[in-house]
Structures are given as structure tokens and as C-alpha cells.
Amino acid sequence: MIFPNLALWSNSKENAVRHAMDQIDRSLEDRQHRLSTGISVAPDFGTVHGCLLVVRGRGRFLRLQQAIGVSQPIPETVQRTCIHLTQNEKPDAGELRLTLRDLSEIQSATVGLLKAAAGKYVDRILAVGVIDPGIWSQDFDGSRLYQGMCDASSLAEACGVNVIDAFPARDIVCGGLGGPLAALPAWMLFADRDTRLASTTRHLIVDTSAHSGVDKTDGKHKQTLDHFELPPSDGLDVELPRIHFEQSGPDRWQPRAKTNDDEWLIAGEAEFCQTVETKIQQTLGQRVTRLSNLVGEPVDFDAMIAATLGLFHVDQLPANVLALTQADSQRILGTLTPGSPSNWRNLIRSMAQYHPAPMRLKDAV
């Protein structure tokens, strides 16, 4: 079991949500638990996904307790404009500003659903992390440029929650590629980190077909997947274990497991995920667990990553894995925009009360 305390989740979506509320209610009576939210904009700009996380611990000792997912459709007119802007290397500034304002309204509605799910603990939401496709281009020297598609000021004003966005930007400035940034959050959420005996290597397969563009031959999305190999750890390591990452298509990818105790998790509902699942079962004879089945309801993987990256920013934990992003140094990612005065005070108080572990000198400079 990868998620702790999730064995009681029901298969019925309605009952699962109600039971999740009860679990959250019991968990948050303990003030050591924290609430964080994350929203992600689908690569095709068709949907805004949201996730409410209940976590325990801080920094490197973060542990996931519960997760609830919501979603909101994006109107077709806004969707077409967003796609046009991302395909244009030099988008019109006025059109971009108006479009991001319209997009922030849908994002705010999504945060509203997450706040409703938090119930009487809504004041415990520290921040909302935002992941979006962004506008990617190249500078004259070939270096990557990133422009986020989140109007953080409008979103923070509309929902009253502190907003943390533009995660790839800082990594790019440090010489990185701006991704993949999901490696460390995935390790925190899904790796075997038993404080007494951590021995199971966990493999996370993420469907990234919608992120990989369109194949010019048939006009369909290219079938791609991300494979994160998450090593076990007791959480007391001076350095984080090496996270292996590879990206490929389902036809070329071959499962590599070191022992029979490895566990496999697939995040994605695309049809070709079944091909990957079958390949793992036939090659290794191991069972594969779908993320939606594990949690008990659909929860978007990118929204979970956004919420976790937001917590990393609050806990002052560098989130870019240098071996994967090729950055020159580790940095705290994201840009923080204050929400309502009370929400901002709660966040400042939370950050002031926490003293992160000291870093090695070569990582700190």
C-alpha cells in the first residue's frame, strides 16, 4: 500500500468523497496536519484540475495523508485563445493579459470547490500551487524561455488564497531545462520511506500523451510516458537518494525491476496505459495499481504535484533535482503572491515557526 491510511476508501465515488471528508475531519483535529491545494491546467486547455492535500510533517519529512480531486471545464472560446497564444512565439501583450484574466476566473472557481471540500478547516489552507502549460520559446543564444499563464494577482484577489506559480522559471535561470519538476514531489508522495525498514523500490508511470504534442502523420497526440524509479529511504539521508527518470513511448519502453518486491503505480487513464500494465504483468508478473483506484476517486497527478511544490516553497525546500533538470544549483522554486491579509498572516506565521535543516555549503551557495 503506497498511500497511508487509505484502505478504507470506498469504490463508490459519492461514498468515497464523503468518507474522505470524514478522514480529513479526523486528521485535521490534530494541528500537526496541514492543508494545501494545487491546480493544473490541462495541456489542451480543456480543463482545470484541482487537488486538496492533507499532509503531515514538513520539508524532507513530508507525508501524504489524504487527497481529494475536483475539476472545472474551460470555455471553448478561452481554450482556443490559450492554444493560439502558446503557439505564437511573440503573443500580443494585451490579448495575453485579457486571456489570463479569463483563465484566472476558472481557476478561482476550482479553488472555490477545494475550499468547500475543506469545510470548517478552510482557514488552514496555506497556499495554492499552480501548474500550467506556459509559453515556451528560445532566446537568441538558444537558451529556453518560460512565460507562465497564471494571472497570480487576479487569482489571489478572487479566491483569497496565497498563490505560488511559475515553478520552471527559477530552474531555467539557474541553467536548467525547467523540468522535470515532478521527480522530488513524486518521491515525497509515493516512495517507501518507512522510518524503521524501507526496502521497496516503487515505480511511477505517468501518462504524458497530452503534454507531448501532436503527431503530424495522423494528427493524434504522441503516446509518451514518464517513468520515475523511486528508491526507498528511511528519511534520514544526508542526501536524497538518486531518482531515476526516463521518458519514452509505450512500445519502446521495457520495465526494469531489481527485485520481486518492487511496486508499480500508473497515473493516467489513457487506453495505452493498459498496454504498459499488461507488459509489466507479463514481463515481471507484478500487479499494477492505478492512481484513481488507489485514492478512490479521480485525482489529477499534475494537481497533486502543484500542491506539493507549493508546500516545498513554504517549507523552503529546493525542489529541482540537478541530475534531471541540469541546473547549476538547487533553488526554491515558485513565485509567491499574497492572498487575503488573514491568509497571508497564517502563511507567514507557518513559515516563521519552521526552521529547515541546514544545507551543505556547496548546495547553499
Side-chain angles (χ1 to χ4, degrees):
M1 180 66 68
I2 297 179
F3 276 65
N5 303 326
L6 290 179
L8 299 178
W9 287 59
S10 169
N11 291 329
S12 169
K13 182 176 180 180
E14 180 179 355
N15 292 336
V17 173
R18 183 165 58 249
H19 189 73
M21 302 294 185
D22 296 337
Q23 291 276 12
I24 289 176
D25 191 65
R26 287 194 293 269
S27 296
L28 288 178
E29 290 179 358
D30 181 358
R31 298 296 294 187
Q32 295 181 0
H33 289 80
R34 295 185 296 163
L35 273 178
S36 179
T37 56
I39 56 177
S40 65
V41 181
D44 63 353
F45 294 96
T47 313
V48 174
H49 298 279
C51 178
L52 175 68
L53 289 186
V54 181
V55 298
R56 185 182 180 90
R58 290 173 177 256
R60 292 167 51 192
F61 304 99
L62 195 71
R63 294 291 193 278
L64 173 65
Q65 299 297 113
Q66 305 292 339
I68 292 181
V70 299
S71 62
Q72 284 281 94
I74 298 178
E76 187 176 351
T77 53
V78 179
Q79 179 185 16
R80 287 198 303 266
T81 307
C82 289
I83 294 176
H84 171 72
L85 290 172
T86 57
Q87 294 176 346
N88 190 350
E89 294 185 358
K90 297 181 179 180
D92 179 74
E95 183 183 18
L96 177 62
R97 184 168 57 252
L98 293 176
T99 302
L100 297 191
R101 183 70 60 85
D102 293 337
L103 187 60
S104 69
E105 295 180 0
I106 296 99
Q107 293 173 323
S108 176
T110 307
V111 176
L113 295 176
L114 297 174
K115 293 171 67 176
K120 63 182 179 180
Y121 299 106
V122 63
D123 62 325
R124 301 270 294 276
I125 297 178
L126 295 176
V128 52
V130 181
I131 288 180
D132 58 73
I135 300 175
W136 295 82
S137 58
Q138 287 188 343
D139 203 351
F140 66 92
D141 59 354
S143 59
R144 305 187 82 184
L145 299 176
Y146 171 81
Q147 166 67 53
M149 297 193 67
C150 174
D151 187 347
S153 297
S154 297
L155 178 58
E157 183 65 25
C159 67
V161 180
N162 305 306
V163 176
I164 305 175
D165 69 317
F167 295 108
R170 189 65 186 276
D171 183 73
I172 292 176
V173 171
C174 295
L177 301 174
L181 301 180
L184 186 58
W187 187 81
M188 288 287 186
L189 297 177
F190 305 117
D192 179 14
R193 297 193 292 144
D194 192 300
T195 55
R196 293 173 296 178
L197 180 62
S199 59
T200 302
T201 298
R202 288 174 175 154
H203 301 261
L204 174 64
I205 307 297
V206 183
D207 172 22
T208 56
S209 296
H211 301 251
S212 57
V214 176
D215 193 335
K216 296 181 179 180
T217 58
D218 55 10
K220 298 181 179 179
H221 282 290
K222 300 177 183 177
Q223 294 183 344
T224 59
L225 55 86
D226 290 349
H227 176 197
F228 297 94
E229 184 177 308
L230 311 175
S233 168
D234 60 4
L236 302 178
D237 307 85
V238 177
E239 297 183 6
L240 291 174
R242 180 178 177 84
I243 302 173
H244 178 75
F245 169 80
E246 64 177 330
Q247 185 178 72
S248 62
D251 297 331
R252 299 178 310 225
W253 178 79
Q254 293 294 332
R256 298 180 301 168
K258 297 180 180 179
T259 69
N260 293 329
D261 296 330
D262 288 8
E263 296 178 357
W264 296 81
L265 173 66
I266 287 184
E269 301 299 329
E271 294 182 0
F272 83 88
C273 283
Q274 183 65 41
T275 304
V276 177
E277 182 175 349
T278 302
K279 185 178 295 186
I280 295 173
Q281 292 173 343
Q282 291 177 347
T283 306
L284 305 174
Q286 292 181 299
R287 184 174 62 88
V288 178
T289 303
R290 295 290 185 100
L291 178 63
S292 58
N293 295 336
L294 187 66
V295 178
E297 62 169 312
V299 178
D300 183 68
F301 176 77
D302 287 337
M304 295 182 69
I305 297 301
T308 310
L309 286 174
L311 285 171
F312 288 172
H313 184 100
V314 173
D315 294 340
Q316 305 151 59
L317 178 67
N320 54 336
V321 180
L322 303 186
L324 301 181
T325 68
Q326 303 178 25
D328 299 327
S329 55
Q330 290 184 308
R331 287 294 181 264
I332 299 170
L333 305 182
T335 302
L336 175 60
T337 302
S340 65
S342 61
N343 191 246
W344 175 243
R345 284 195 297 268
N346 289 340
L347 179 63
I348 292 296
R349 187 181 301 114
S350 175
M351 296 177 69
Q353 293 173 351
Y354 174 61
H355 301 284
M359 299 178 62
R360 295 182 307 171
L361 180 59
K362 72 174 186 177
D363 292 333
V365 296

